[in-house]
mmCIF file of all heavy atoms in Angstrom:
data_model
loop_
_atom_site.group_PDB
_atom_site.id
_atom_site.type_symbol
_atom_site.label_atom_id
_atom_site.label_comp_id
_atom_site.label_asym_id
_atom_site.label_seq_id
_atom_site.Cartn_x
_atom_site.Cartn_y
_atom_site.Cartn_z
ATOM 1 N N ARG A 675 1.325 8.856 20.000
ATOM 2 C CA ARG A 675 2.473 7.974 19.748
ATOM 3 C C ARG A 675 3.146 8.251 18.409
ATOM 4 O O ARG A 675 4.343 8.116 18.273
ATOM 5 C CB ARG A 675 2.036 6.517 19.777
ATOM 6 C CG ARG A 675 1.441 6.078 21.087
ATOM 7 C CD ARG A 675 1.215 4.553 21.138
ATOM 8 N NE ARG A 675 0.246 4.101 20.130
ATOM 9 C CZ ARG A 675 0.542 3.211 19.170
ATOM 10 N NH1 ARG A 675 1.747 2.666 19.103
ATOM 11 N NH2 ARG A 675 -0.383 2.839 18.298
ATOM 12 N N PHE A 676 2.344 8.627 17.423
ATOM 13 C CA PHE A 676 2.835 8.883 16.059
ATOM 14 C C PHE A 676 2.800 10.373 15.764
ATOM 15 O O PHE A 676 1.912 11.086 16.215
ATOM 16 C CB PHE A 676 1.974 8.176 15.021
ATOM 17 C CG PHE A 676 2.109 6.687 14.999
ATOM 18 C CD1 PHE A 676 2.735 5.957 15.993
ATOM 19 C CD2 PHE A 676 1.552 5.952 13.923
ATOM 20 C CE1 PHE A 676 2.837 4.587 15.951
ATOM 21 C CE2 PHE A 676 1.622 4.569 13.879
ATOM 22 C CZ PHE A 676 2.272 3.896 14.919
ATOM 23 N N THR A 677 3.746 10.838 14.971
ATOM 24 C CA THR A 677 3.800 12.217 14.541
ATOM 25 C C THR A 677 4.091 12.291 13.054
ATOM 26 O O THR A 677 5.095 11.723 12.582
ATOM 27 C CB THR A 677 4.887 13.018 15.272
ATOM 28 O OG1 THR A 677 4.653 12.909 16.691
ATOM 29 C CG2 THR A 677 4.856 14.459 14.871
ATOM 30 N N ILE A 678 3.211 12.953 12.309
ATOM 31 C CA ILE A 678 3.425 13.169 10.879
ATOM 32 C C ILE A 678 4.014 14.569 10.678
ATOM 33 O O ILE A 678 3.641 15.520 11.396
ATOM 34 C CB ILE A 678 2.109 13.001 10.081
ATOM 35 C CG1 ILE A 678 2.379 13.029 8.570
ATOM 36 C CG2 ILE A 678 1.073 14.043 10.498
ATOM 37 C CD1 ILE A 678 1.129 12.661 7.751
ATOM 38 N N SER A 679 4.936 14.649 9.768
ATOM 39 C CA SER A 679 5.555 15.947 9.462
ATOM 40 C C SER A 679 5.942 15.960 7.988
ATOM 41 O O SER A 679 5.930 14.930 7.307
ATOM 42 C CB SER A 679 6.772 16.201 10.359
ATOM 43 O OG SER A 679 7.753 15.228 10.120
ATOM 44 N N ARG A 680 6.295 17.132 7.499
ATOM 45 C CA ARG A 680 6.678 17.252 6.097
ATOM 46 C C ARG A 680 7.811 18.251 5.945
ATOM 47 O O ARG A 680 7.942 19.179 6.742
ATOM 48 C CB ARG A 680 5.475 17.692 5.234
ATOM 49 C CG ARG A 680 4.931 19.072 5.529
ATOM 50 C CD ARG A 680 3.610 19.311 4.797
ATOM 51 N NE ARG A 680 3.747 19.213 3.361
ATOM 52 C CZ ARG A 680 2.743 18.954 2.527
ATOM 53 N NH1 ARG A 680 1.542 18.743 2.995
ATOM 54 N NH2 ARG A 680 2.984 18.886 1.199
ATOM 55 N N ASP A 681 8.628 18.002 4.926
ATOM 56 C CA ASP A 681 9.709 18.922 4.554
ATOM 57 C C ASP A 681 9.492 19.263 3.072
ATOM 58 O O ASP A 681 9.844 18.465 2.204
ATOM 59 C CB ASP A 681 11.049 18.264 4.804
ATOM 60 C CG ASP A 681 12.209 19.196 4.536
ATOM 61 O OD1 ASP A 681 12.053 20.192 3.792
ATOM 62 O OD2 ASP A 681 13.310 18.948 5.057
ATOM 63 N N ASN A 682 8.930 20.432 2.814
ATOM 64 C CA ASN A 682 8.609 20.783 1.447
ATOM 65 C C ASN A 682 9.866 20.971 0.599
ATOM 66 O O ASN A 682 9.836 20.779 -0.613
ATOM 67 C CB ASN A 682 7.735 22.027 1.391
ATOM 68 C CG ASN A 682 6.335 21.771 1.880
ATOM 69 O OD1 ASN A 682 5.860 20.619 1.913
ATOM 70 N ND2 ASN A 682 5.646 22.806 2.310
ATOM 71 N N ALA A 683 10.961 21.362 1.210
ATOM 72 C CA ALA A 683 12.201 21.539 0.481
ATOM 73 C C ALA A 683 12.750 20.202 -0.056
ATOM 74 O O ALA A 683 13.443 20.174 -1.067
ATOM 75 C CB ALA A 683 13.253 22.192 1.357
ATOM 76 N N LYS A 684 12.384 19.129 0.648
ATOM 77 C CA LYS A 684 12.851 17.789 0.252
ATOM 78 C C LYS A 684 11.761 16.978 -0.393
ATOM 79 O O LYS A 684 11.973 15.788 -0.711
ATOM 80 C CB LYS A 684 13.420 17.057 1.458
ATOM 81 C CG LYS A 684 14.670 17.685 2.059
ATOM 82 C CD LYS A 684 15.197 16.878 3.223
ATOM 83 C CE LYS A 684 16.474 17.512 3.775
ATOM 84 N NZ LYS A 684 17.010 16.713 4.917
ATOM 85 N N ASN A 685 10.566 17.551 -0.545
ATOM 86 C CA ASN A 685 9.436 16.803 -1.110
ATOM 87 C C ASN A 685 9.223 15.469 -0.351
ATOM 88 O O ASN A 685 8.976 14.431 -0.966
ATOM 89 C CB ASN A 685 9.618 16.515 -2.590
ATOM 90 C CG ASN A 685 9.383 17.745 -3.442
ATOM 91 O OD1 ASN A 685 9.112 18.824 -2.939
ATOM 92 N ND2 ASN A 685 9.485 17.578 -4.745
ATOM 93 N N THR A 686 9.299 15.555 0.963
ATOM 94 C CA THR A 686 9.237 14.324 1.777
ATOM 95 C C THR A 686 8.272 14.518 2.941
ATOM 96 O O THR A 686 8.251 15.586 3.565
ATOM 97 C CB THR A 686 10.650 13.961 2.289
ATOM 98 O OG1 THR A 686 11.528 13.750 1.176
ATOM 99 C CG2 THR A 686 10.603 12.701 3.136
ATOM 100 N N VAL A 687 7.522 13.458 3.210
ATOM 101 C CA VAL A 687 6.667 13.398 4.379
ATOM 102 C C VAL A 687 7.164 12.264 5.281
ATOM 103 O O VAL A 687 7.653 11.250 4.770
ATOM 104 C CB VAL A 687 5.180 13.204 4.000
ATOM 105 C CG1 VAL A 687 4.958 11.924 3.248
ATOM 106 C CG2 VAL A 687 4.285 13.318 5.208
ATOM 107 N N TYR A 688 7.072 12.485 6.557
ATOM 108 C CA TYR A 688 7.604 11.558 7.549
ATOM 109 C C TYR A 688 6.494 11.054 8.469
ATOM 110 O O TYR A 688 5.480 11.733 8.682
ATOM 111 C CB TYR A 688 8.683 12.215 8.400
ATOM 112 C CG TYR A 688 9.832 12.775 7.589
ATOM 113 C CD1 TYR A 688 9.851 14.142 7.277
ATOM 114 C CD2 TYR A 688 10.874 11.985 7.163
ATOM 115 C CE1 TYR A 688 10.890 14.683 6.544
ATOM 116 C CE2 TYR A 688 11.931 12.508 6.424
ATOM 117 C CZ TYR A 688 11.933 13.862 6.115
ATOM 118 O OH TYR A 688 12.983 14.383 5.382
ATOM 119 N N LEU A 689 6.745 9.891 9.047
ATOM 120 C CA LEU A 689 5.878 9.392 10.124
ATOM 121 C C LEU A 689 6.787 8.855 11.215
ATOM 122 O O LEU A 689 7.420 7.808 11.061
ATOM 123 C CB LEU A 689 4.937 8.296 9.632
ATOM 124 C CG LEU A 689 3.890 7.833 10.643
ATOM 125 C CD1 LEU A 689 2.908 8.959 10.952
ATOM 126 C CD2 LEU A 689 3.162 6.589 10.161
ATOM 127 N N GLN A 690 6.893 9.620 12.286
ATOM 128 C CA GLN A 690 7.643 9.163 13.453
ATOM 129 C C GLN A 690 6.726 8.330 14.322
ATOM 130 O O GLN A 690 5.677 8.798 14.735
ATOM 131 C CB GLN A 690 8.168 10.389 14.251
ATOM 132 C CG GLN A 690 8.920 10.016 15.521
ATOM 133 C CD GLN A 690 10.221 9.304 15.225
ATOM 134 O OE1 GLN A 690 10.979 9.693 14.358
ATOM 135 N NE2 GLN A 690 10.517 8.241 15.992
ATOM 136 N N MET A 691 7.145 7.086 14.570
ATOM 137 C CA MET A 691 6.322 6.147 15.329
ATOM 138 C C MET A 691 7.049 5.753 16.587
ATOM 139 O O MET A 691 8.127 5.149 16.513
ATOM 140 C CB MET A 691 6.014 4.915 14.470
ATOM 141 C CG MET A 691 5.383 5.259 13.132
ATOM 142 S SD MET A 691 4.881 3.809 12.186
ATOM 143 C CE MET A 691 6.457 3.045 11.893
ATOM 144 N N ASN A 692 6.485 6.124 17.723
ATOM 145 C CA ASN A 692 7.056 5.806 19.016
ATOM 146 C C ASN A 692 6.143 4.839 19.803
ATOM 147 O O ASN A 692 4.950 4.729 19.453
ATOM 148 C CB ASN A 692 7.284 7.078 19.818
ATOM 149 C CG ASN A 692 8.236 8.029 19.165
ATOM 150 O OD1 ASN A 692 9.178 7.627 18.479
ATOM 151 N ND2 ASN A 692 8.041 9.323 19.389
ATOM 152 N N SER A 693 6.691 4.248 20.816
ATOM 153 C CA SER A 693 5.906 3.336 21.682
ATOM 154 C C SER A 693 5.125 2.346 20.819
ATOM 155 O O SER A 693 3.922 2.125 21.021
ATOM 156 C CB SER A 693 4.932 4.137 22.551
ATOM 157 O OG SER A 693 5.639 5.057 23.366
ATOM 158 N N LEU A 694 5.808 1.719 19.890
ATOM 159 C CA LEU A 694 5.163 0.807 18.970
ATOM 160 C C LEU A 694 4.596 -0.406 19.672
ATOM 161 O O LEU A 694 5.165 -0.897 20.666
ATOM 162 C CB LEU A 694 6.112 0.398 17.866
ATOM 163 C CG LEU A 694 6.318 1.471 16.795
ATOM 164 C CD1 LEU A 694 7.592 1.211 16.003
ATOM 165 C CD2 LEU A 694 5.128 1.526 15.849
ATOM 166 N N LYS A 695 3.472 -0.872 19.160
ATOM 167 C CA LYS A 695 2.749 -2.024 19.710
ATOM 168 C C LYS A 695 2.648 -3.110 18.634
ATOM 169 O O LYS A 695 2.670 -2.789 17.463
ATOM 170 C CB LYS A 695 1.359 -1.630 20.161
ATOM 171 C CG LYS A 695 1.295 -0.482 21.150
ATOM 172 C CD LYS A 695 -0.149 -0.082 21.435
ATOM 173 C CE LYS A 695 -0.208 1.080 22.429
ATOM 174 N NZ LYS A 695 -1.624 1.479 22.681
ATOM 175 N N PRO A 696 2.490 -4.372 19.030
ATOM 176 C CA PRO A 696 2.323 -5.437 18.020
ATOM 177 C C PRO A 696 1.170 -5.129 17.055
ATOM 178 O O PRO A 696 1.247 -5.501 15.871
ATOM 179 C CB PRO A 696 2.063 -6.654 18.883
ATOM 180 C CG PRO A 696 2.810 -6.400 20.146
ATOM 181 C CD PRO A 696 2.618 -4.928 20.389
ATOM 182 N N GLU A 697 0.143 -4.480 17.527
ATOM 183 C CA GLU A 697 -1.000 -4.195 16.656
ATOM 184 C C GLU A 697 -0.699 -3.093 15.623
ATOM 185 O O GLU A 697 -1.520 -2.821 14.769
ATOM 186 C CB GLU A 697 -2.249 -3.797 17.481
ATOM 187 C CG GLU A 697 -1.995 -2.718 18.511
ATOM 188 C CD GLU A 697 -1.755 -3.299 19.903
ATOM 189 O OE1 GLU A 697 -0.977 -4.276 20.003
ATOM 190 O OE2 GLU A 697 -2.317 -2.738 20.875
ATOM 191 N N ASP A 698 0.458 -2.476 15.718
ATOM 192 C CA ASP A 698 0.881 -1.524 14.683
ATOM 193 C C ASP A 698 1.498 -2.237 13.472
ATOM 194 O O ASP A 698 1.803 -1.604 12.473
ATOM 195 C CB ASP A 698 1.905 -0.530 15.243
ATOM 196 C CG ASP A 698 1.332 0.371 16.312
ATOM 197 O OD1 ASP A 698 0.179 0.831 16.139
ATOM 198 O OD2 ASP A 698 2.032 0.613 17.325
ATOM 199 N N THR A 699 1.681 -3.524 13.587
ATOM 200 C CA THR A 699 2.249 -4.316 12.474
ATOM 201 C C THR A 699 1.371 -4.224 11.243
ATOM 202 O O THR A 699 0.172 -4.512 11.299
ATOM 203 C CB THR A 699 2.433 -5.775 12.888
ATOM 204 O OG1 THR A 699 3.381 -5.857 13.951
ATOM 205 C CG2 THR A 699 2.894 -6.639 11.729
ATOM 206 N N ALA A 700 1.949 -3.785 10.132
ATOM 207 C CA ALA A 700 1.209 -3.576 8.912
ATOM 208 C C ALA A 700 2.171 -3.120 7.818
ATOM 209 O O ALA A 700 3.327 -2.821 8.097
ATOM 210 C CB ALA A 700 0.120 -2.512 9.104
ATOM 211 N N VAL A 701 1.642 -3.072 6.610
ATOM 212 C CA VAL A 701 2.338 -2.367 5.520
ATOM 213 C C VAL A 701 1.844 -0.944 5.547
ATOM 214 O O VAL A 701 0.625 -0.692 5.554
ATOM 215 C CB VAL A 701 2.068 -3.034 4.154
ATOM 216 C CG1 VAL A 701 2.793 -2.225 3.060
ATOM 217 C CG2 VAL A 701 2.535 -4.461 4.147
ATOM 218 N N TYR A 702 2.767 -0.012 5.572
ATOM 219 C CA TYR A 702 2.441 1.401 5.630
ATOM 220 C C TYR A 702 2.612 2.047 4.239
ATOM 221 O O TYR A 702 3.637 1.857 3.600
ATOM 222 C CB TYR A 702 3.331 2.107 6.665
ATOM 223 C CG TYR A 702 2.909 1.818 8.080
ATOM 224 C CD1 TYR A 702 3.091 0.557 8.642
ATOM 225 C CD2 TYR A 702 2.291 2.778 8.866
ATOM 226 C CE1 TYR A 702 2.676 0.283 9.931
ATOM 227 C CE2 TYR A 702 1.884 2.516 10.153
ATOM 228 C CZ TYR A 702 2.084 1.252 10.698
ATOM 229 O OH TYR A 702 1.650 0.994 11.959
ATOM 230 N N TYR A 703 1.601 2.776 3.855
ATOM 231 C CA TYR A 703 1.561 3.412 2.532
ATOM 232 C C TYR A 703 1.451 4.921 2.633
ATOM 233 O O TYR A 703 0.688 5.436 3.446
ATOM 234 C CB TYR A 703 0.371 2.908 1.734
ATOM 235 C CG TYR A 703 0.362 1.425 1.445
ATOM 236 C CD1 TYR A 703 -0.273 0.523 2.290
ATOM 237 C CD2 TYR A 703 0.974 0.947 0.268
ATOM 238 C CE1 TYR A 703 -0.278 -0.827 1.988
ATOM 239 C CE2 TYR A 703 0.954 -0.407 -0.017
ATOM 240 C CZ TYR A 703 0.329 -1.290 0.842
ATOM 241 O OH TYR A 703 0.313 -2.630 0.562
ATOM 242 N N CYS A 704 2.141 5.570 1.740
ATOM 243 C CA CYS A 704 2.052 7.010 1.559
ATOM 244 C C CYS A 704 0.983 7.290 0.497
ATOM 245 O O CYS A 704 0.879 6.518 -0.481
ATOM 246 C CB CYS A 704 3.426 7.517 1.139
ATOM 247 S SG CYS A 704 3.544 9.271 0.851
ATOM 248 N N ASN A 705 0.269 8.376 0.656
ATOM 249 C CA ASN A 705 -0.834 8.697 -0.273
ATOM 250 C C ASN A 705 -0.974 10.191 -0.480
ATOM 251 O O ASN A 705 -0.772 10.968 0.456
ATOM 252 C CB ASN A 705 -2.144 8.110 0.252
ATOM 253 C CG ASN A 705 -3.373 8.679 -0.427
ATOM 254 O OD1 ASN A 705 -3.930 9.701 -0.025
ATOM 255 N ND2 ASN A 705 -3.788 8.012 -1.507
ATOM 256 N N THR A 706 -1.328 10.589 -1.662
ATOM 257 C CA THR A 706 -1.797 11.911 -1.936
ATOM 258 C C THR A 706 -2.830 11.880 -3.039
ATOM 259 O O THR A 706 -3.025 10.840 -3.698
ATOM 260 C CB THR A 706 -0.638 12.851 -2.311
ATOM 261 O OG1 THR A 706 -1.100 14.200 -2.261
ATOM 262 C CG2 THR A 706 -0.091 12.543 -3.687
ATOM 263 N N GLN A 707 -3.523 12.984 -3.190
ATOM 264 C CA GLN A 707 -4.582 13.050 -4.193
ATOM 265 C C GLN A 707 -4.469 14.324 -5.023
ATOM 266 O O GLN A 707 -4.261 15.397 -4.473
ATOM 267 C CB GLN A 707 -5.958 13.027 -3.518
ATOM 268 C CG GLN A 707 -6.298 11.745 -2.817
ATOM 269 C CD GLN A 707 -7.625 11.835 -2.064
ATOM 270 O OE1 GLN A 707 -8.037 12.928 -1.668
ATOM 271 N NE2 GLN A 707 -8.291 10.722 -1.902
ATOM 272 N N THR A 708 -4.634 14.184 -6.347
ATOM 273 C CA THR A 708 -4.874 15.330 -7.187
ATOM 274 C C THR A 708 -6.247 15.077 -7.792
ATOM 275 O O THR A 708 -7.247 15.167 -7.077
ATOM 276 C CB THR A 708 -3.789 15.469 -8.253
ATOM 277 O OG1 THR A 708 -3.696 14.263 -9.013
ATOM 278 C CG2 THR A 708 -2.432 15.774 -7.617
ATOM 279 N N PHE A 709 -6.311 14.725 -9.057
ATOM 280 C CA PHE A 709 -7.596 14.312 -9.627
ATOM 281 C C PHE A 709 -7.773 12.795 -9.424
ATOM 282 O O PHE A 709 -8.829 12.241 -9.776
ATOM 283 C CB PHE A 709 -7.660 14.650 -11.132
ATOM 284 C CG PHE A 709 -6.586 14.020 -11.954
ATOM 285 C CD1 PHE A 709 -6.781 12.787 -12.550
ATOM 286 C CD2 PHE A 709 -5.375 14.669 -12.131
ATOM 287 C CE1 PHE A 709 -5.777 12.213 -13.307
ATOM 288 C CE2 PHE A 709 -4.376 14.100 -12.879
ATOM 289 C CZ PHE A 709 -4.570 12.888 -13.460
ATOM 290 N N ARG A 710 -6.809 12.149 -8.872
ATOM 291 C CA ARG A 710 -6.867 10.717 -8.554
ATOM 292 C C ARG A 710 -5.959 10.473 -7.356
ATOM 293 O O ARG A 710 -5.163 11.329 -6.954
ATOM 294 C CB ARG A 710 -6.404 9.874 -9.739
ATOM 295 C CG ARG A 710 -5.075 10.278 -10.322
ATOM 296 C CD ARG A 710 -4.365 9.180 -11.056
ATOM 297 N NE ARG A 710 -3.757 8.231 -10.114
ATOM 298 C CZ ARG A 710 -2.960 7.254 -10.508
ATOM 299 N NH1 ARG A 710 -2.706 7.050 -11.808
ATOM 300 N NH2 ARG A 710 -2.425 6.451 -9.624
ATOM 301 N N ASP A 711 -6.077 9.249 -6.825
ATOM 302 C CA ASP A 711 -5.223 8.835 -5.710
ATOM 303 C C ASP A 711 -3.880 8.361 -6.256
ATOM 304 O O ASP A 711 -3.805 7.679 -7.263
ATOM 305 C CB ASP A 711 -5.861 7.675 -4.948
ATOM 306 C CG ASP A 711 -6.796 8.161 -3.850
ATOM 307 O OD1 ASP A 711 -6.346 8.919 -3.032
ATOM 308 O OD2 ASP A 711 -7.968 7.730 -3.903
ATOM 309 N N TYR A 712 -2.823 8.680 -5.513
ATOM 310 C CA TYR A 712 -1.495 8.139 -5.771
ATOM 311 C C TYR A 712 -1.015 7.430 -4.517
ATOM 312 O O TYR A 712 -1.180 7.932 -3.408
ATOM 313 C CB TYR A 712 -0.508 9.249 -6.161
ATOM 314 C CG TYR A 712 -0.826 9.909 -7.474
ATOM 315 C CD1 TYR A 712 -1.516 11.089 -7.544
ATOM 316 C CD2 TYR A 712 -0.423 9.294 -8.671
ATOM 317 C CE1 TYR A 712 -1.798 11.694 -8.768
ATOM 318 C CE2 TYR A 712 -0.723 9.877 -9.896
ATOM 319 C CZ TYR A 712 -1.425 11.071 -9.946
ATOM 320 O OH TYR A 712 -1.717 11.640 -11.146
ATOM 321 N N TRP A 713 -0.390 6.250 -4.732
ATOM 322 C CA TRP A 713 0.099 5.427 -3.626
ATOM 323 C C TRP A 713 1.541 5.047 -3.853
ATOM 324 O O TRP A 713 1.977 4.830 -5.003
ATOM 325 C CB TRP A 713 -0.737 4.150 -3.538
ATOM 326 C CG TRP A 713 -2.171 4.366 -3.240
ATOM 327 C CD1 TRP A 713 -3.178 4.509 -4.152
ATOM 328 C CD2 TRP A 713 -2.768 4.466 -1.935
ATOM 329 N NE1 TRP A 713 -4.382 4.697 -3.487
ATOM 330 C CE2 TRP A 713 -4.159 4.663 -2.143
ATOM 331 C CE3 TRP A 713 -2.292 4.414 -0.636
ATOM 332 C CZ2 TRP A 713 -5.054 4.807 -1.083
ATOM 333 C CZ3 TRP A 713 -3.157 4.557 0.409
ATOM 334 C CH2 TRP A 713 -4.539 4.752 0.201
ATOM 335 N N GLY A 714 2.272 4.906 -2.772
ATOM 336 C CA GLY A 714 3.567 4.298 -2.855
ATOM 337 C C GLY A 714 3.476 2.796 -2.847
ATOM 338 O O GLY A 714 2.365 2.230 -2.780
ATOM 339 N N GLN A 715 4.639 2.133 -2.839
ATOM 340 C CA GLN A 715 4.669 0.694 -2.876
ATOM 341 C C GLN A 715 4.497 0.058 -1.520
ATOM 342 O O GLN A 715 4.230 -1.132 -1.396
ATOM 343 C CB GLN A 715 5.992 0.193 -3.512
ATOM 344 C CG GLN A 715 7.162 0.140 -2.548
ATOM 345 C CD GLN A 715 7.742 1.514 -2.177
ATOM 346 O OE1 GLN A 715 7.324 2.546 -2.707
ATOM 347 N NE2 GLN A 715 8.697 1.516 -1.249
ATOM 348 N N GLY A 716 4.630 0.874 -0.483
ATOM 349 C CA GLY A 716 4.443 0.396 0.875
ATOM 350 C C GLY A 716 5.763 -0.030 1.514
ATOM 351 O O GLY A 716 6.729 -0.414 0.820
ATOM 352 N N THR A 717 5.797 0.052 2.827
ATOM 353 C CA THR A 717 6.948 -0.410 3.611
ATOM 354 C C THR A 717 6.427 -1.190 4.798
ATOM 355 O O THR A 717 5.505 -0.772 5.479
ATOM 356 C CB THR A 717 7.873 0.767 4.021
ATOM 357 O OG1 THR A 717 9.033 0.245 4.629
ATOM 358 C CG2 THR A 717 7.163 1.738 4.973
ATOM 359 N N GLN A 718 7.032 -2.340 5.024
ATOM 360 C CA GLN A 718 6.549 -3.255 6.081
ATOM 361 C C GLN A 718 7.094 -2.813 7.432
ATOM 362 O O GLN A 718 8.291 -2.577 7.602
ATOM 363 C CB GLN A 718 7.031 -4.693 5.781
ATOM 364 C CG GLN A 718 6.675 -5.685 6.873
ATOM 365 C CD GLN A 718 5.192 -6.017 6.930
ATOM 366 O OE1 GLN A 718 4.562 -6.236 5.915
ATOM 367 N NE2 GLN A 718 4.636 -5.995 8.121
#
């Protein structure tokens, strides 16, 4: 149902979400790691 992809030219990662269900309701966060974790602010 979901597809993750990235565009390195735009420094952007995507999450295409199809056939959404009520149980998918959440705050979604982007994350990466170097020597520590980095998080975005989240999107509802």
Side-chain angles (χ1 to χ4, degrees):
R675 299 188 298 122
F676 290 12
T677 303
I678 188 171
S679 61
R680 65 190 299 158
D681 185 337
N682 289 339
K684 295 183 178 180
N685 284 3
T686 300
V687 61
Y688 303 98
L689 186 67
Q690 178 67 43
M691 306 186 296
N692 298 329
S693 302
L694 283 161
K695 303 175 181 180
E697 51 264 44
D698 295 318
T699 295
V701 178
Y702 284 71
Y703 297 92
C704 180
N705 165 271
T706 192
Q707 294 176 333
T708 56
F709 59 91
R710 52 156 283 188
D711 273 304
Y712 293 99
W713 298 92
Q715 82 287 354
T717 187
Q718 176 72 46

